[in-house]
Amino acid sequence: MTKKKASRDASLWFPIVGIGASAGGLEAVTRLLTHLPADTGMAFILIQHLDPTRESLLPAILQKATKMPVSQAKERMRIEPDHVYIIPPNVHMCIDGSVLKLGPRPEGAPAQAVNCFLNSLALERGNNAIAVILSGTASDGALGVRAIKAEGGVVFAQDEESAGHSGMPHSAAATGTVDYILPPEQIAAELARLALHPLRDPDNLVHFQDASSLGKIFLLLRRETGVDFGLYKPSTIRRRLMRRMMLKHAERLDQYAAALAKNPEEVRALHDDLLIHVTHFFREPAALAALRAKSFPRLLRGLAPDAPIRVWVAGCSTGEEVYSLAILLLDFLSEKDRMNPVQIFATDVSEAALARARAGAYSNDIAHHVPVKLLRRFFTKTDRGYEIVKRVRDLCVFARHDLTKDPPFANLDIISCCNVLIYFGPEAQRRILPVFHYALRPAGTLMLSNAETVGEFGRLFESADKKGRLYYKNPTESRIHYSPSALLATDPGHLSPAKPKAAEAKAPWPETDVQKTAERLLLARFAPAGLIVGSDLNILHFRGNVSRFLAPASGKASLSLLKMMPVHTGVPLRALIEKAKKADSPTTATGLELGGDGSKSENVTIEVIPFRLPISGDRYFILLFEEELPLTARPKALRAKDAEFAGRRERASVKRLKTEIASTRAYLQSIVEEHEAANEELKSANEELKSANEEIVSSNEELQSTNEELEIAKEELQAANEELSTLNEELQTRNGDLGGLNNDLSNLLSSVNLPIIMVGTDQRIRRFTPMAEKVMNLIAGDVGRSIGDIKPKIPLPNIEEIIHDVIQSASTKELEIRATDGVSYLVRVRPYKTSENKIDGAVLVFMPDDQVNRGTVDASSVSAFEAALDIVHEPLAVLDANMRVKTVSRSMYQAFGLTPSQLGRSLFEIEDGRWNLPKLRKSLERLSTDGAAFSRLTLRVGKKPVTFSARRVERDLGGEAMILLSIDER
């Protein structure tokens, strides 16, 4: 599907907010709409997972939360700003222009209504699309938010603390495309702010022509990341810049440029935003089908059985396209019973994308794009999704590479560059396509996306499949060159803030098409005919009608200027060019006679203008031809007057001929002098050659001895080669052992019924067990994230400091915590040690109370004790040796209004210090140290007498002395 061009009609300019929600979403949507102004100018479309068998009551419920009209969507319903639309049950909905389209939900398919709508919203609204992912289970919406981000839209997700179910927000955040993670109330506030941002109005985009500020931004990006975004399409850059400016509250381009100069992190964020990573498995089905049907058989016909197949995937993003090609190629080779080794080089400029690609781990959503047969054969199902099998990962080498400047790979059979060229400007495409032609083997194949073509380089490639955008390499020479404008685009000097005028003159973005078209028309109509020649006097470019002045010479075809000009003009023309070259300024010759198309042109003036390229320094010349009108072509009123001057013109012609003769003599004299100087140089060179000959004889003897040394070195190299072969065999054996150990570790972690998390020294998560996934609310995308960024079900106060202390001290630490569901855990944090006994991270083990073998009371006794606390009528509290409240009976909750949040605090601090009585404190301390129990200790608390009784008991958790305290207010 190709992206439709967004209309600039005022009725279609307003933003549309797609809201995805599932379980627990009603409360979140209500909070969002309650805090939204009714006049934002945005339209809000709610995609909720609904019961397919019942009518939805959502419109009536949500109408109470907002003043905006709330409607259930209908087929072809027109979208209006400041309205709320709700998806009906059991349908999939998308947007088509300014109307909604409804379709039946596929039977048996998982819920993907949010992805379906957000994908269509991204295509239709581009940077005017906004996605909001609220509470819900599973991962619907994760693919949709990536599409929104790719088109320059803004993405929100509800924070996990306020979400009833964090599955959908967590999956969206794991894609790395979410701009804001906030509770619904703050999402509403940000939406209202975005609605008022000046850049939402297309009339306020004039300042995007500020070439000086754009130059500064590009220079900052190139210095920080090494990528020259001046070569990208202006429309893509503008959308991304506008998005970042709205997110950072900047209204003008110069403001944002100044903010970038002070904030390197924002430079990197802009860099990540400008690089678009939207892809999925088997994304270009037509191209892949053509590749399998045409290119693979053609490739194997000319390939030896043991010759490697080399593939380059340029702009590989997060790896889906790379693995799709690898799977397709392996499947084809197995069908043809071929065993050719496969090498796939996958490159991108984004290190973050390459890291995800190397991991080869993907969410369950890939099942929508990968055929079931291939999914079972080339993927391993895990609790967190799917992983590419090892034999496929081993074929792929991932590396950072910039297409616009880094050298290419060579001797390639296939190059895949899908959905990359569409983001580059013409200059970058002129660099890249000849490089692809150079890198391919004679029978090589280039695969592009449906939206890309080879353009002006049709001579380099032969179309193999127009629908699939498949091209074969033509057997022609490919000149890899960089045009002057491309060189200027990479010159940091033209973007320097210290030279704003130069920056304006060399703006990184082209002028409008209207202006360029007008300039071409003016040049074609009024500019004189001319040509551009190089320093070797070969013609490089023709401008205008030069056929009246030039004529090709007979014999071998040539673009030499002197062979295209009349013989009698060769000497004065060469002299004119030499004069311009020495003076480095324009020179002119008048009254020359030329004739190219059979006619004779008199009184032709030739002007030679020398110039150099600013970076390479190569010299070029522009030759301009101007011809006076003949006498018969002038108006009648002027002919008589022209006749009076005819004689004078003849005399001037004689004078001109004399001048030409004089200049010819001077030119011949200079040639004679140069010839004599060349003779002297030849004599000197002859003597030097004699001396050099003697040195060559001496060098020959040295080379002979060197040859003997090389023979010895060859024998040593042969021995080293044998050692390397032996070492390679050992390495293969160790790799096999390592693979077995890795499998053992994976099975061990899957079998352990304990939550275990491994983190590195940077506190980023490496591995975790399936039990940790449930207890800590983790998903596959959390691998590589900092543990401090995780919002688990179990509170982990100061966990980053604890891990840091464990790594620094190489000692084990323990802490007791209580989860929100009431389960207590003993968390043991110990250092992660390598085989060299080095500390390389930490291991966190979560052991529930019933698995901690530290006390003398078994689990059944503990359960009986806690059950007794729930049924006794007298208020009871269990204290530890430090008088902290461990647990209380149900009757104590009811009698004194205690809350679970007060557990773990000192008895003397809860309820505003109500029980902080000196006699009670002294009695409890004596009981804790000496075991002196007491009963019916009556004290006055406020105006009431209260009776206390207490005794010490041995409970679980390592035999720690616990105190059972009863309180009676009667």
Side-chain angles (χ1 to χ4, degrees):
M1 180 183 292
T2 58
K3 182 188 174 189
K4 298 181 181 179
K5 188 175 181 180
S7 171
R8 294 304 185 210
D9 186 88
S11 63
L12 300 181
W13 180 252
F14 62 89
I16 295 180
V17 182
I19 305 172
S22 180
L26 177 57
E27 178 193 359
V29 173
T30 303
R31 292 163 59 187
L32 175 69
L33 294 179
T34 301
H35 290 81
L36 265 174
D39 57 350
T40 60
M42 299 177 174
F44 300 89
I45 302 178
L46 172 61
I47 311 298
Q48 174 92 18
H49 292 173
L50 302 172
D51 187 341
T53 62
R54 297 183 181 180
E55 287 294 324
S56 173
L57 300 177
L58 272 179
I61 296 173
L62 295 180
Q63 187 63 78
K64 300 176 182 178
T66 179
K67 295 181 180 179
M68 291 184 286
V70 180
S71 309
Q72 183 166 282
K74 298 178 181 178
E75 177 68 14
R76 306 302 297 177
M77 176 179 278
R78 186 174 182 83
I79 305 171
E80 300 289 345
D82 298 323
H83 282 62
V84 180
Y85 303 90
I86 301 175
I87 187 173
N90 202 30
V91 300
H92 273 187
M93 185 167 69
C94 64
I95 180 174
D96 182 14
S98 60
V99 298
L100 295 171
K101 294 185 66 176
L102 308 182
R105 173 182 169 182
E107 294 185 7
Q112 291 294 311
V114 181
N115 282 332
C116 178
F117 179 78
L118 292 182
N119 284 333
S120 68
L121 179 62
L123 290 174
E124 289 291 343
R125 274 303 197 269
N127 62 325
N128 264 334
I130 300 174
V132 178
I133 305 298
L134 300 178
S135 173
T137 57
S139 61
D140 191 16
L143 297 178
V145 298
R146 295 179 71 179
I148 295 288
K149 182 69 172 287
E151 298 299 332
V154 181
V155 180
F156 294 84
Q158 185 176 359
D159 67 315
E160 297 181 16
E161 293 181 0
S162 67
H165 297 271
S166 60
M168 285 175 58
H170 195 132
S171 297
T175 65
T177 60
V178 176
D179 298 300
Y180 295 102
I181 301 178
L182 302 168
E185 296 82 1
Q186 295 183 28
I187 293 177
E190 283 297 326
L191 287 173
R193 184 188 63 78
L194 288 176
L196 298 175
H197 199 283
L199 292 182
R200 281 293 174 198
D201 186 348
D203 295 334
N204 292 330
L205 300 182
V206 178
H207 68 278
F208 268 93
Q209 303 301 326
D210 181 0
S212 176
S213 297
L214 284 170
K216 294 176 184 177
I217 291 173
F218 289 154
L219 182 60
L220 289 169
L221 284 167
R222 187 158 60 252
R223 286 175 177 172
E224 183 69 26
T225 67
V227 180
D228 183 7
F229 286 101
L231 298 173
Y232 283 58
K233 282 187 178 177
S235 57
T236 301
I237 301 296
R238 183 173 61 248
R239 287 199 308 269
R240 298 291 162 155
L241 275 175
M242 188 169 68
R243 207 185 84 86
R244 294 304 306 177
M245 289 171 66
M246 288 191 293
L247 294 179
K248 292 302 177 182
H249 306 185
E251 298 182 1
R252 297 195 318 274
L253 203 60
D254 56 346
Q255 288 180 343
Y256 186 63
L260 279 179
K262 300 176 182 178
N263 189 356
E265 292 184 2
E266 177 60 19
V267 177
R268 289 188 289 272
L270 176 60
H271 166 266
D272 293 340
D273 252 18
L274 291 171
L275 299 177
I276 300 168
H277 300 295
V278 176
T279 184
H280 58 72
F281 282 92
F282 301 99
R283 186 181 183 187
E284 299 289 340
L288 292 175
L291 196 68
R292 185 185 183 105
K294 297 181 179 180
S295 293
F296 288 173
R298 182 173 183 262
L299 173 63
L300 291 186
R301 282 196 298 268
L303 206 63
D306 59 344
I309 298 174
R310 294 167 58 85
V311 181
W312 179 18
V313 181
C316 67
S317 188
T318 49
E320 288 90 335
E321 182 187 349
V322 182
Y323 294 126
S324 297
L325 267 176
I327 289 170
L328 199 69
L329 187 54
L330 290 177
D331 188 55
F332 180 81
L333 290 175
S334 66
E335 284 186 4
K336 301 301 180 182
D337 197 24
R338 293 287 294 261
M339 300 294 292
N340 296 76
V342 177
Q343 296 175 318
I344 300 181
F345 306 99
T347 62
D348 202 279
V349 294
S350 172
E351 289 287 359
L354 291 172
R356 293 186 61 185
R358 291 187 186 102
Y362 299 95
S363 67
N364 291 314
D365 292 330
I366 69 170
H368 302 298
H369 305 290
V370 182
V372 176
K373 182 184 73 170
L374 300 180
L375 195 66
R376 292 173 180 171
R377 182 178 171 190
F378 295 104
F379 292 83
T380 302
K381 185 70 175 75
T382 67
D383 294 334
R384 299 178 291 274
Y386 291 92
E387 288 185 359
I388 300 289
V389 296
K390 186 175 183 296
R391 66 189 182 95
V392 177
R393 282 207 306 267
D394 290 345
L395 303 179
C396 307
V397 178
F398 295 91
R400 189 184 185 282
H401 182 277
D402 190 339
L403 284 174
T404 62
K405 65 179 182 180
D406 292 335
F409 297 91
N411 296 323
L412 299 166
D413 297 294
I414 298 171
I415 295 179
S416 173
C417 185
C418 294
N419 298 292
V420 177
L421 296 180
I422 56 175
Y423 299 110
F424 283 117
E427 289 296 344
Q429 293 187 21
R430 292 190 192 104
R431 296 188 192 188
I432 294 170
L433 287 168
V435 168
F436 286 165
H437 183 271
Y438 164 80
L440 285 170
R441 286 174 175 167
T445 300
L446 172 64
M447 184 175 77
L448 303 178
S449 73
N450 191 43
E452 298 167 323
T453 65
V454 295
E456 62 186 82
F457 294 97
R459 64 182 181 82
L460 299 180
F461 298 96
E462 171 193 353
S463 177
D465 189 280
K466 292 183 178 179
K467 184 179 179 181
R469 291 292 192 268
L470 219 62
Y471 300 89
Y472 295 148
K473 175 179 179 178
N474 272 338
T476 184
E477 181 183 1
S478 58
R479 293 185 61 189
I480 303 177
H481 66 280
Y482 294 93
S483 64
S485 57
L487 290 170
L488 287 173
T490 58
D491 177 22
H494 82 287
L495 298 177
S496 174
K499 300 179 181 179
K501 292 184 179 179
E504 282 188 15
K506 301 172 183 177
W509 286 359
E511 299 169 359
T512 63
D513 291 340
V514 174
Q515 184 177 348
K516 290 193 293 184
T517 302
E519 288 178 351
R520 284 198 298 269
L521 291 173
L522 290 173
L523 285 172
R525 184 166 182 177
F526 298 108
L531 14 118
I532 301 175
V533 299
S535 57
D536 56 358
L537 300 188
N538 279 329
I539 299 173
L540 303 177
H541 184 74
F542 296 97
R543 164 64 82 178
N545 182 15
V546 296
S547 61
R548 293 175 298 145
F549 312 111
L550 304 180
S554 60
K556 186 179 179 181
S558 173
L559 286 177
S560 172
L561 175 65
L562 298 180
K563 291 184 179 181
M564 298 284 283
M565 299 289 287
V567 177
H568 64 276
T569 60
V571 174
L573 185 58
R574 184 190 289 272
L576 185 65
I577 293 174
E578 286 293 328
K579 182 178 179 183
K581 181 178 180 180
K582 291 180 180 179
D584 200 18
S585 63
T587 57
T588 304
T590 60
L592 298 178
E593 294 182 359
L594 303 177
D597 55 5
S599 62
K600 189 174 183 181
S601 301
E602 297 183 358
N603 297 327
V604 175
T605 298
I606 299 180
E607 183 177 6
V608 179
I609 304 174
F611 69 96
R612 292 177 181 270
L613 289 184
I615 295 179
S616 64
D618 294 339
R619 187 188 293 274
Y620 296 88
F621 302 92
I622 298 176
L623 275 70
L624 300 178
F625 302 94
E626 294 186 13
E627 179 185 14
E628 271 192 29
L629 287 174
L631 183 62
T632 56
R634 299 172 67 86
K636 292 181 179 181
L638 300 177
R639 291 180 187 176
K641 189 174 182 180
D642 288 336
E644 296 176 4
F645 294 98
R648 192 178 303 173
R649 191 163 55 246
E650 290 180 0
R651 291 190 295 273
S653 177
V654 172
K655 183 178 180 181
R656 184 181 67 250
L657 291 174
K658 291 181 178 180
T659 303
E660 289 180 2
I661 292 172
S663 63
T664 303
R665 288 176 178 171
Y667 178 70
L668 290 175
Q669 180 64 29
S670 65
I671 289 178
V672 170
E673 293 174 355
E674 291 176 2
H675 182 69
E676 291 176 353
N679 282 337
E680 293 295 329
E681 292 176 358
L682 284 174
K683 291 179 181 179
S684 175
N686 191 29
E687 295 176 358
E688 293 176 357
L689 281 174
K690 290 181 181 179
S691 174
N693 188 39
E694 296 174 358
E695 294 178 0
I696 289 173
V697 172
S698 174
S699 299
N700 190 32
E701 296 175 356
E702 294 177 1
L703 286 174
Q704 185 65 29
S705 63
T706 303
N707 190 35
E708 296 173 358
E709 294 175 0
L710 285 175
E711 288 292 334
I712 298 172
K714 182 181 177 181
E715 296 175 0
E716 295 176 353
L717 186 60
Q718 182 66 27
N721 191 32
E722 294 174 358
E723 293 177 4
L724 284 175
S725 299
T726 305
L727 185 61
N728 188 39
E729 292 177 1
E730 294 177 1
L731 184 59
Q732 290 179 355
T733 303
R734 292 196 176 187
N735 280 342
D737 296 341
L738 183 61
L741 290 173
N742 190 41
N743 293 332
D744 293 344
L745 178 61
S746 299
N747 283 279
L748 177 62
L749 291 177
S750 300
S751 303
V752 173
N753 196 26
L754 276 178
I756 301 175
I757 301 176
M758 299 181 185
V759 298
T761 53
D762 57 357
Q763 302 201 12
R764 295 185 181 274
I765 297 175
R766 288 179 178 172
R767 288 178 180 264
F768 50 82
T769 62
M771 218 30 210
E773 181 177 354
K774 298 176 182 178
V775 173
M776 294 289 291
N777 196 25
L778 298 173
I779 64 173
D782 290 329
V783 174
R785 293 180 63 190
S786 173
I787 194 169
D789 296 338
I790 305 299
K791 303 296 182 184
K793 295 179 181 177
I794 301 176
L796 294 173
N798 304 321
I799 189 62
E800 293 175 285
E801 297 179 7
I802 294 173
I803 294 174
H804 180 267
D805 292 342
V806 167
I807 293 174
Q808 294 297 320
S809 62
S811 61
T812 301
K813 291 195 175 184
E814 296 181 352
L815 65 152
E816 297 176 11
I817 56 176
R818 182 182 291 272
T820 54
D821 56 4
V823 179
S824 296
Y825 290 87
L826 173 69
V827 182
R828 181 175 291 122
V829 186
R830 66 177 186 81
Y832 180 107
K833 295 183 179 180
T834 65
S835 57
E836 292 84 11
N837 203 31
K838 294 182 179 179
I839 306 300
D840 193 30
V843 180
L844 286 73
V845 182
F846 298 77
M847 294 183 291
D849 275 353
D850 58 356
Q851 297 185 20
V852 183
N853 188 20
R854 299 200 309 172
T856 59
V857 182
D858 59 16
S860 61
S861 300
V862 174
S863 299
F865 178 74
E866 293 178 347
L869 286 178
D870 282 342
I871 63 174
V872 295
H873 296 290
E874 188 174 4
L876 294 175
V878 180
L879 313 177
D880 63 9
N882 296 319
M883 305 306 156
R884 290 193 298 266
V885 180
K886 301 293 290 184
T887 185
V888 298
S889 66
R890 186 186 302 275
S891 57
M892 183 131 181
Y893 276 123
Q894 297 170 349
F896 300 108
L898 294 178
T899 62
S901 63
Q902 293 176 313
L903 298 180
R905 297 176 59 190
S906 172
L907 173 71
F908 308 121
E909 295 177 357
I910 65 174
E911 295 194 73
D912 299 326
R914 179 181 183 183
W915 311 112
N916 190 12
L917 307 172
K919 288 186 178 181
L920 178 61
R921 181 191 288 269
K922 186 174 181 180
S923 298
L924 289 173
E925 290 175 352
R926 191 185 315 120
L927 173 61
S928 176
T929 55
D930 304 332
F934 62 89
S935 61
R936 307 200 62 79
L937 172 64
T938 303
L939 301 172
R940 185 168 292 279
V941 180
K943 297 181 179 180
K944 290 184 180 182
V946 180
T947 302
F948 300 91
S949 299
R951 62 174 300 173
R952 189 172 69 177
V953 295
E954 295 295 329
R955 198 166 174 260
D956 59 346
L957 299 178
E960 182 182 358
M962 309 298 290
I963 297 174
L964 183 63
L965 173 68
S966 70
I967 304 174
D968 188 2
E969 278 192 314
R970 292 173 296 178

